[in-house]
Amino acid sequence: MKKKVLSILLTVAMTASLLAGCGSAGSGAANSGAADAGAADSAAADAGSTGDAAASGDVEEITWMFWDDLEATEDLISKGYKEVIDRFNQDYAGKYHVTPVTTNLEEYYTKLNALVASGEAPDVFIVSPGPNLTTYVEPGVAADLTPYLDADWKGSFSSDAVFAQQTYDGKIYAVPLNIAAACVFYNKEMFEEAGAAVPKTWDELIDACEKIKAKGHTPITISAGTAWCLSMLAGYLCDREGVDLKKIDSGEESWNNPKTLDAANKMIELSQYFQPTAAGDTNDVATAGLYNGEAAILIQGSWAIGQINGENPDFEQKCGVFQFPEIPGGNDPNRVIAKSDSLAMSATTKHPEASIALMKYFTDDTAQKYTAEVGGKIPVTNVQYDATKAPAQLADVMDIFSNASSTFGFYNESLFSTEAGSTFDDNMVAIYLGEKTPEQAFDDLDAWYAANKK
Amino acid sequence: MEKLLRDKKAIAVFVLPAFILFTLILFVPICQSVYYSFCDYDALTSPKFVGLKNYQNLIVDDTMKIAVKNSLFFLIYSCVTQLVMGLILAGLLTNIEKGRNVFKNIIYLPCVLSSAALGLLWMFIFSPKLGINQILAKFGMQGPLWLMDIKGYITLPMWVIAFVALWQYVGQSMMLYMAQISGISKSLYEASYIDGCNKVKSFWHITLPLIKPMVGTAMSLNAIGSLKFFDLIFNMTEGGPNHKTEVLATHLYQQGFKYFKYGYASAIGTVLLILCLIMTFVINKLFQSENYEM
């Protein structure tokens, strides 16, 4: 009898503990909320003599999600963001506190999407304008920031145009932090050694590559392993040929047309100058190819300045920048691919004031000055910065940017969905790898559009 | 205790916790996932029933074709190589006197290490700028682009990854076979030697038939493991270059977490589940055998 009672008791205890486990997993948010409240209560109770502890119970805790590891990074822009976070936490100590949630770039949207899907979206998160931002605007994940901007914030920005890519139906859903322009970086020493001039046209570019190759150097370092890098080159070539992307994306024109085919053939022509491992090299490996002196040319956005100068400070003086060359008889050669990092706020955040306060820290004078002087990106506000302190490459980028007749986005970020962008990227890589002819690739894109565009 | 176990209520009380857990964290999500596979679902808006559309899209999806091809290649490759290598190693190790434990541990070690770390390690080894190719270059040879080549029906990166998987998991098959072999009575071998068998013959006529049930078990584990294989591929190539090393699990991951297409990803998951069930069934049929008294 004793044994029976004992075994039943044990069973009940085991079952109860298991179910308790289930319970806390199922309603984790509610429970932890209650626990927090409890902790706050006890903190308040304990705080009879120490006022500070009571205050700590009222700290509004928010999260900020970002695509680089703030502790390990060598990227100067990321380091700047870390300073912003530290400054915010220091200035608002006792009132607000932000905790960064970081991933690497490749995993970023995967993790963000998983958090959004599970109803735990970060309060503030970084996002690329274009279909990526649309993904969060359409289902109402990103909050409308217009009222906050209109209140007292918008005036500090350099112009309303900086919000162009973040505006949907007249409402602004994200705040840009900086602008980067895609250009061509080159190794001045290698160009000099090969007797190559800075190319202004397509033929001059091929000529320069030929001369550098003759000297035994790799002319171009590029990543096809990280598909958007190759796709950026394809985008530039298409634009220089005069491709009208809007018409193609809306279905008025087909992908398979003489201009896209010309662009693809030029990409194939240029690919003989790529490093032999381009097919699998990641973006970081390809960029390292330039600052380690393995190749002469890198086609990249000016966001790479922070990475290049951070990883190899000695390379700064050897590094020149030029505008992507003109294709004679083609489109306006002064058009530039521009991209901005933007911050969005979760529509479900319980702490909008804290979130907005944080976002303002990213666009205040200290942060924007850092963006230009250290990070080497173009600021979005009217901040005055010391051009002599800024990276050597920024002056060239500013030149290109201020002479630009107009800007356009990455091709893969200008199509109707993220997947359409990836399909474009994949087909460009397939052309480069020789898996498909340009005709096949663009036919496949047309077929994909027919099947997937609603 | 025996009296207690005859009581139906007591049995129910014992079984209930595990049953509830199993239902909540396994059975319900599987059913949900099968339902989502018939829906257009992005996890941000509620699922919309679309019938067989996801499955129709699967049939025309080029990446899916590559993924199925690679998964089947992986399945066949690892079933065959792990069986052969596992048996050879188990046969050898049970027959050596000195150093058995040392070799056993060395061969089993990769099994207990993290696949993510091993994936990175092997990626460095096969990277053109760091590993094998640098050694080859010292001898004036130019190595292939191990993880980037795209030629052939089954591309070189798939063979490389399959080799790494064999290296990592062969220890597990070996351990299973060794456990079974060490359970075979010595007297059977002694009798065979008296009848004129040599070691090879006795392995063929005694060891193999007696470990047949274990071969079936090890192979089922292997087959399921290789069909849902993910970590090494994701860490070594991420399915690239240009989806050439995509398998079902990486394709599912991409569709679900990159493009928010949870309905479509669920359809891939359902196909994967059905494939696993079929393979387990086939292997169990193939290796059905009587249990011998040992």
Side-chain angles (χ1 to χ4, degrees):
Chain A
M1 185 62 196
K2 256 187 190 173
K3 266 188 183 172
K4 196 173 175 181
V5 172
L6 187 69
S7 54
I8 289 174
L9 271 176
L10 277 174
T11 315
V12 170
M14 274 164 65
T15 319
S17 64
L18 276 171
L19 290 177
C22 284
S24 67
S27 55
N31 278 357
S32 66
D36 285 351
D41 285 350
S42 65
D46 291 344
S49 53
T50 53
D52 285 356
S56 78
D58 299 318
V59 172
E60 284 190 39
E61 186 66 52
I62 57 170
T63 52
W64 169 73
M65 192 154 162
F66 181 56
W67 50 46
D68 196 0
D69 184 336
L70 292 182
E71 302 303 326
T73 185
E74 286 298 321
D75 187 292
L76 298 170
I77 285 284
S78 301
K79 284 184 174 180
Y81 291 161
K82 184 177 171 2
E83 278 182 21
V84 171
I85 296 293
D86 290 344
R87 201 153 50 85
F88 177 83
N89 280 338
Q90 207 173 3
D91 292 354
Y92 279 106
K95 191 173 179 200
Y96 303 141
H97 184 266
V98 58
T99 309
V101 181
T102 59
T103 72
N104 60 1
L105 181 59
E106 284 75 21
E107 292 292 293
Y108 179 74
Y109 287 107
T110 310
K111 194 169 176 193
L112 176 59
N113 290 358
L115 285 174
V116 169
S118 62
E120 289 172 21
D123 299 284
V124 182
F125 53 93
I126 199 154
V127 64
S128 289
N132 276 318
L133 179 58
T134 312
T135 317
Y136 304 109
V137 171
E138 274 179 355
V141 174
D144 176 13
L145 302 174
T146 327
Y148 304 102
L149 279 159
D150 285 346
D152 61 342
W153 191 8
K154 209 172 174 184
S156 62
F157 288 86
S158 51
S159 74
D160 282 0
V162 297
F163 295 104
Q165 284 186 294
Q166 290 83 355
T167 308
Y168 295 76
D169 290 334
K171 292 176 181 166
I172 299 169
Y173 285 89
V175 174
L177 305 182
N178 47 52
I179 302 167
C183 333
V184 189
F185 295 86
Y186 71 103
N187 185 326
K188 289 180 188 166
E189 283 183 358
M190 278 191 190
F191 265 62
E192 230 166 80
E193 190 195 332
V198 173
K200 288 227 158 30
T201 64
W202 174 256
D203 292 333
E204 287 172 18
L205 176 66
I206 297 291
D207 180 57
C209 288
E210 203 51 57
K211 283 180 177 157
I212 294 161
K213 200 177 177 183
K215 280 280 169 192
H217 298 301
T218 304
I220 298 174
T221 174
I222 195 167
S223 160
T226 310
W228 62 259
C229 297
L230 185 81
S231 148
M232 182 167 62
L233 168 66
Y236 251 134
L237 286 169
C238 284
D239 195 75
R240 290 289 186 265
E241 288 281 1
V243 170
D244 190 338
L245 190 63
K246 280 212 175 93
K247 279 192 178 159
I248 293 178
D249 192 44
S250 65
E252 274 178 70
E253 279 180 18
S254 69
W255 277 102
N256 189 347
N257 68 55
K259 286 173 181 168
T260 53
L261 291 179
D262 271 350
N265 284 321
K266 287 212 162 60
M267 186 175 79
I268 296 172
E269 189 187 349
L270 198 62
S271 69
Q272 57 177 314
Y273 303 110
F274 294 174
Q275 83 277 27
T277 53
D281 280 351
T282 60
N283 177 25
D284 286 345
V285 175
T287 307
L290 178 79
Y291 63 69
N292 288 335
E294 290 159 14
I297 294 174
L298 172 76
I299 300 157
Q300 250 311 351
S302 56
W303 56 83
I305 295 175
Q307 187 185 0
I308 292 171
N309 295 353
E311 296 282 350
N312 185 2
D314 296 338
F315 189 72
E316 185 175 339
Q317 294 310 318
K318 296 183 207 165
C319 183
V321 187
F322 61 87
Q323 160 93 303
F324 193 85
E326 171 183 8
I327 294 177
N331 202 8
D332 176 6
N334 286 320
R335 278 164 61 79
V336 173
I337 293 183
K339 184 182 166 78
S340 63
D341 290 343
S342 299
L343 284 184
M345 181 173 82
S346 164
T348 54
T349 179
K350 293 191 184 75
H351 310 287
E353 281 82 21
S355 302
I356 294 293
L358 174 67
M359 288 160 93
K360 283 183 177 168
Y361 261 62
F362 278 94
T363 58
D364 69 7
D365 282 357
T366 318
Q368 289 296 311
K369 225 172 154 173
Y370 178 98
T371 298
E373 289 178 1
V374 186
K377 284 198 185 184
I378 303 160
V380 288
T381 64
N382 294 316
V383 68
Q384 295 298 317
Y385 65 91
D386 185 350
T388 56
K389 277 191 191 163
Q393 298 100 325
L394 183 66
D396 295 334
V397 175
M398 282 302 269
D399 264 354
I400 292 172
F401 196 73
S402 51
N403 290 329
S405 54
S406 57
T407 63
F408 62 107
F410 273 86
Y411 262 41
N412 60 3
E413 291 183 354
S414 307
L415 305 180
F416 76 93
S417 75
T418 324
E419 202 185 1
S422 294
T423 311
F424 174 78
D425 289 356
D426 289 348
N427 276 292
M428 293 308 107
V429 176
I431 293 175
Y432 160 63
L433 295 174
E435 284 180 77
K436 292 181 186 175
T437 63
E439 287 83 1
Q440 279 171 335
F442 288 117
D443 278 343
D444 285 357
L445 264 168
D446 280 325
W448 190 89
Y449 259 68
N452 290 280
K453 180 127 199 224
K454 287 166 191 165
Chain B
M1 197 65 186
E2 268 178 36
K3 202 173 147 205
L4 181 72
L5 282 178
R6 255 177 299 188
D7 184 350
K8 291 257 163 57
K9 276 181 210 151
I11 294 174
V13 168
F14 278 123
V15 169
L16 208 60
F19 179 76
I20 292 172
L21 266 186
F22 177 81
T23 315
L24 279 182
I25 66 168
L26 208 66
F27 192 65
V28 172
I30 288 177
C31 294
Q32 263 181 324
S33 157
V34 172
Y35 169 67
Y36 290 149
S37 75
F38 296 105
C39 297
D40 187 0
Y41 181 40
D42 63 3
L44 297 174
T45 46
S46 53
K48 202 169 70 203
F49 191 79
V50 291
L52 288 171
K53 192 162 167 274
N54 285 329
Y55 291 92
Q56 285 164 348
N57 289 343
L58 273 185
I59 297 169
V60 292
D61 178 353
D62 286 335
T63 310
M64 183 68 186
K65 281 175 203 155
I66 299 176
V68 170
K69 178 188 77 183
N70 282 338
S71 283
L72 290 180
F73 159 74
F74 212 81
L75 171 81
I76 296 166
Y77 178 94
S78 56
C79 277
V80 173
T81 53
Q82 297 232 17
L83 173 71
V84 175
M85 287 302 291
L87 274 178
I88 291 176
L89 288 171
L92 285 176
L93 286 190
T94 40
N95 278 302
I96 59 168
E97 298 296 329
K98 271 190 181 168
R100 180 189 299 176
N101 276 333
V102 176
F103 283 113
K104 198 166 80 179
N105 286 332
I106 290 175
I107 295 166
Y108 189 70
L109 188 67
C111 275
V112 296
L113 298 178
S114 142
S115 291
L118 289 178
L120 283 176
L121 174 81
W122 282 97
M123 189 189 77
F124 290 140
I125 292 177
F126 287 111
S127 154
K129 293 203 172 106
L130 298 168
I132 298 179
N133 284 8
Q134 290 298 318
I135 300 173
L136 289 176
K138 288 235 171 1
F139 297 100
M141 285 183 280
Q142 197 193 353
L145 294 173
W146 299 100
L147 295 175
M148 301 166 190
D149 198 277
I150 53 147
K151 288 186 283 292
Y153 184 66
I154 302 292
T155 56
L156 180 63
M158 270 324 285
W159 289 99
V160 170
I161 294 168
F163 163 76
V164 174
L166 170 67
W167 168 82
Q168 189 184 358
Y169 292 110
V170 74
Q172 194 168 319
S173 307
M174 180 198 72
M175 289 295 243
L176 289 172
Y177 296 139
M178 273 181 87
Q180 190 82 352
I181 291 173
S182 60
I184 299 172
S185 161
K186 287 269 179 294
S187 59
L188 286 175
Y189 289 106
E190 280 158 17
S192 75
Y193 296 147
I194 293 168
D195 288 344
C197 269
N198 57 22
K199 287 221 157 173
V200 177
K201 268 191 171 170
S202 66
F203 180 80
W204 195 256
H205 292 291
I206 296 171
T207 315
L208 270 191
L210 286 177
I211 63 167
K212 205 175 157 192
M214 187 54 93
V215 173
T217 312
M219 231 183 199
S220 311
L221 288 174
N222 230 319
I224 295 169
S226 45
L227 274 177
K228 60 176 197 183
F229 198 62
F230 176 82
D231 33 19
L232 276 183
I233 294 188
F234 195 75
N235 281 296
M236 287 172 76
T237 65
E238 282 190 67
N242 220 19
H243 304 294
K244 286 288 175 234
T245 56
E246 212 84 63
V247 289
L248 287 170
T250 54
H251 189 40
L252 182 157
Y253 179 83
Q254 283 237 343
Q255 294 294 321
F257 295 105
K258 194 166 168 194
Y259 304 134
F260 267 83
K261 289 164 75 177
Y262 285 92
Y264 192 65
S266 297
I268 302 174
T270 310
V271 170
L272 186 58
L273 178 72
I274 292 170
L275 270 178
C276 284
L277 289 176
I278 292 175
M279 280 319 297
T280 320
F281 180 76
V282 169
I283 289 170
N284 278 342
K285 275 274 171 228
L286 276 179
F287 289 93
Q288 218 167 36
S289 58
E290 302 154 43
N291 272 324
Y292 297 98
E293 190 85 21
M294 290 192 280

